[in-house]
Amino acid sequence: MDCWENKHLLDPDWLDRRKHFNPSFKQDLLLSFFHIFDSETKILMNLLDTYVDKGEIDVVPEMLRWSFKIAAQTTMGSEVKHDEHFKNGSLVECFESLISHSTLNILMPLVQNKMVSKICGYDKLRADNFSRIQKMLDNVVNKKVNPSPKTDSDPELNIVINRAMELYRKGDITYMDVKSECCIMIAAGYDTSALTVYHTLFLLANHPEHQEAVFEELNAAFPDAGHFEITYPDMQKLDYLERVIKETLRLIPAIPITARETKNDVRLSNGVLIPKGVVIGIDMFHTHRNPEVWGPNADNFNPDNFLAENMEQKHSYAYIPFARGKRNCIGSKYAMMSSKFALCRILRNYKISTNTLYKDLVYVDNMTMKLAEYPRLKLQRRS
Ligand code: HEM
């Protein structure tokens, strides 16, 4: 097993492990991440600033780097900032390549064949990427093996790496498991959040009337453009932006499909019996566009879908971008906070437009939502 695989995802002890990591996603810890959201979003904005009035540009790589750096620091702690590959930005490419490779393994099982993998060069690519990621993980985890004593007031006490080290010291998990927990957390968090921010910008570029409504809300909350301070109470007041993000996750969920296995025979309401042990695909993408639930214009972008009065009649499983039940997304609050934080700064400072139409997007089968082509965006400064 390498750090990319996580045997705990299929482990009967999974529930205990999940409970152990819950404190890493508690509100007070998430709020303590604001300084990381702030500094990384400043770096992102400085880069985006260089694209203003330069025509349409590909912003996805910048979004991925922004999100990756946040996920790595909130999972591994400030120590990760000293890692060479973290500093030069190359780790995000390693993660991206491994995610694509894992998808290829699922969609084209032939690639799992050792000979095919070797001939196509996947073996070497995968090994190179692992080696860089392992170095970063070892650099940080090694320092934790004999740490200076932590106090209860240490702001990083409950971050994922420190919770994992607690299990390691008790002998509940191995050194490799610690690395694996960190690696899986970063991989699960950064791509999904980066794409959500990008999809939101794209959809608003296609719907200028909604973009103006978001801007008005942001302008009222943050009258001065630039790197204005953002607090949690500020963010809570941004109802329109919140609805826009939810609507984005409805139309373009960052994870479009997942699977569950039945533990017992299940009788559906239409009488069909699904026997125990069957793996069922859960298609969030089409569930979110079901006209019987979302109306005849289910494919249209309409943030008002998330007005309280429009949601109260909906089935609780009609909207599941973070899945539901015990195995739902542990990072859902974190994802909403970090995405909203970045969108506040971007949409307050820039007007976004694009020549690509929403109806022309081509969605591609993948573990996370991918597009055949990522439309470029144009940025104009707002005062
Ligand atoms: C908009 C962003 C995100 C979306 C749409 C999303 C969505 C999801 C979904 C649908 C699942 C369930 C997958 C399954 O059924 O197997 C999931 C699981 C998970 N997510 Fe997220 N996620 C997001 C961001 C994050 C972030 C920021 C983190 C961590 C910092 C994270 C960590 C995880 C983990 C660890 C799991 C596995 C949970 C378990 O099995 O106990 N996610 N996510």
Side-chain angles (χ1 to χ4, degrees), residues 15 45 93 98 120 175 188 204 223 227 241 253 256 267 311 379:
L15 188 57
M45 298 293 292
E93 282 145 36
L98 288 172
C120 297
Y175 180 85
L204 287 176
H227 297 307
L241 180 58
R267 175 84 55 192
M311 281 307 284
L379 274 61

Side-chain angles (χ1 to χ4, degrees), residues 213-247:
V214 170
F215 175 71
E216 275 170 31
E217 184 179 67
L218 291 172
N219 197 22
F222 310 108
D224 298 322
H227 297 307
F228 48 83
E229 191 197 347
I230 304 173
T231 65
Y232 183 61
D234 289 336
M235 291 214 306
Q236 277 180 305
K237 288 181 207 140
L238 304 171
D239 290 339
Y240 204 88
L241 180 58
E242 176 92 12
R243 279 191 274 131
V244 161
I245 301 172
K246 286 182 175 165
E247 178 67 349

Side-chain angles (χ1 to χ4, degrees), residues 263-306:
K263 278 173 84 180
N264 301 302
D265 291 356
V266 179
R267 175 84 55 192
L268 301 183
S269 55
N270 60 5
V272 172
L273 178 78
I274 303 181
K276 178 182 169 181
V278 169
V279 176
I280 305 169
I282 301 164
D283 182 348
M284 284 94 138
F285 186 87
H286 290 99
T287 302
H288 288 179
R289 289 171 181 241
N290 182 352
E292 283 176 25
V293 177
W294 298 94
N297 298 322
D299 287 341
N300 293 358
F301 180 75
N302 176 17
D304 285 356
N305 277 322
F306 289 91

Side-chain angles (χ1 to χ4, degrees), residues 181-240:
E181 294 290 355
C182 295
C183 193
I184 294 291
M185 201 59 79
I186 296 172
Y190 89 91
D191 195 45
T192 44
S193 304
L195 291 177
T196 299
V197 172
Y198 168 77
H199 295 147
T200 308
L201 295 177
F202 173 77
L203 285 171
L204 287 176
N206 260 267
H207 298 89
E209 67 289 10
H210 293 297
Q211 189 176 166
E212 282 316 299
V214 170
F215 175 71
E216 275 170 31
E217 184 179 67
L218 291 172
N219 197 22
F222 310 108
D224 298 322
H227 297 307
F228 48 83
E229 191 197 347
I230 304 173
T231 65
Y232 183 61
D234 289 336
M235 291 214 306
Q236 277 180 305
K237 288 181 207 140
L238 304 171
D239 290 339
Y240 204 88

Side-chain angles (χ1 to χ4, degrees), residues 50-328:
T50 63
Y51 297 143
V52 169
D53 297 331
K54 295 266 165 65
E56 291 201 326
I57 38 118
D58 178 10
V59 297
V60 174
E62 309 302 357
M63 294 297 158
L64 290 170
R65 262 190 282 277
W66 157 80
S67 186
F68 175 80
K69 284 163 78 190
I70 289 180
Q73 289 174 69
T74 53
T75 303
M76 308 280 293
S78 39
E79 194 61 50
V80 73
K81 286 206 283 187
H82 305 297
D83 179 85
E84 207 43 51
H85 297 302
F86 177 88
K87 280 196 269 185
N88 69 25
S90 63
L91 276 178
V92 67
E93 282 145 36
C94 301
F95 270 85
E96 280 295 286
S97 170
L98 288 172
I99 291 175
S100 310
H101 190 249
S102 300
T103 308
L104 208 60
N105 270 337
I106 297 168
L107 298 180
M108 294 174 63
L110 190 65
V111 173
Q112 291 172 25
N113 177 292
K114 278 206 169 134
M115 185 66 87
V116 175
S117 182
K118 200 168 179 184
I119 292 170
C120 297
Y122 292 133
D123 256 9
K124 188 176 171 336
L125 189 64
R126 194 175 147 92
D128 287 351
N129 287 324
F130 269 130
S131 152
R132 281 197 216 175
I133 293 176
Q134 291 283 8
K135 261 191 207 146
M136 177 277 277
L137 292 167
D138 280 326
N139 275 345
V140 183
V141 179
N142 262 331
K143 289 196 181 111
K144 301 267 173 192
V145 175
N146 292 310
S148 46
K150 297 243 162 233
T151 62
D152 286 351
S153 59
D154 181 341
E156 294 191 344
L157 185 70
N158 279 327
I159 61 171
V160 171
I161 190 169
N162 289 334
R163 297 294 294 167
M165 286 307 295
E166 211 180 300
L167 294 176
Y168 169 73
R169 287 195 198 98
K170 282 199 270 173
D172 290 352
I173 62 173
T174 65
Y175 180 85
M176 182 55 107
D177 291 337
V178 174
K179 295 200 288 182
S180 172
E181 294 290 355
C182 295
C183 193
I184 294 291
M185 201 59 79
I186 296 172
Y190 89 91
D191 195 45
T192 44
S193 304
L195 291 177
T196 299
V197 172
Y198 168 77
H199 295 147
T200 308
L201 295 177
F202 173 77
L203 285 171
L204 287 176
N206 260 267
H207 298 89
E209 67 289 10
H210 293 297
Q211 189 176 166
E212 282 316 299
V214 170
F215 175 71
E216 275 170 31
E217 184 179 67
L218 291 172
N219 197 22
F222 310 108
D224 298 322
H227 297 307
F228 48 83
E229 191 197 347
I230 304 173
T231 65
Y232 183 61
D234 289 336
M235 291 214 306
Q236 277 180 305
K237 288 181 207 140
L238 304 171
D239 290 339
Y240 204 88
L241 180 58
E242 176 92 12
R243 279 191 274 131
V244 161
I245 301 172
K246 286 182 175 165
E247 178 67 349
T248 300
L249 281 165
R250 180 180 76 84
L251 290 173
I252 320 184
I255 297 191
I257 190 158
T258 183
R260 293 288 182 270
E261 187 178 325
T262 49
K263 278 173 84 180
N264 301 302
D265 291 356
V266 179
R267 175 84 55 192
L268 301 183
S269 55
N270 60 5
V272 172
L273 178 78
I274 303 181
K276 178 182 169 181
V278 169
V279 176
I280 305 169
I282 301 164
D283 182 348
M284 284 94 138
F285 186 87
H286 290 99
T287 302
H288 288 179
R289 289 171 181 241
N290 182 352
E292 283 176 25
V293 177
W294 298 94
N297 298 322
D299 287 341
N300 293 358
F301 180 75
N302 176 17
D304 285 356
N305 277 322
F306 289 91
L307 284 171
E309 62 267 31
N310 292 334
M311 281 307 284
E312 63 198 15
Q313 299 303 325
K314 301 253 186 324
H315 190 283
S316 57
Y317 281 64
Y319 180 67
I320 44 170
F322 296 105
R324 290 294 297 253
K326 281 189 198 159
R327 222 48 211 250
N328 70 346

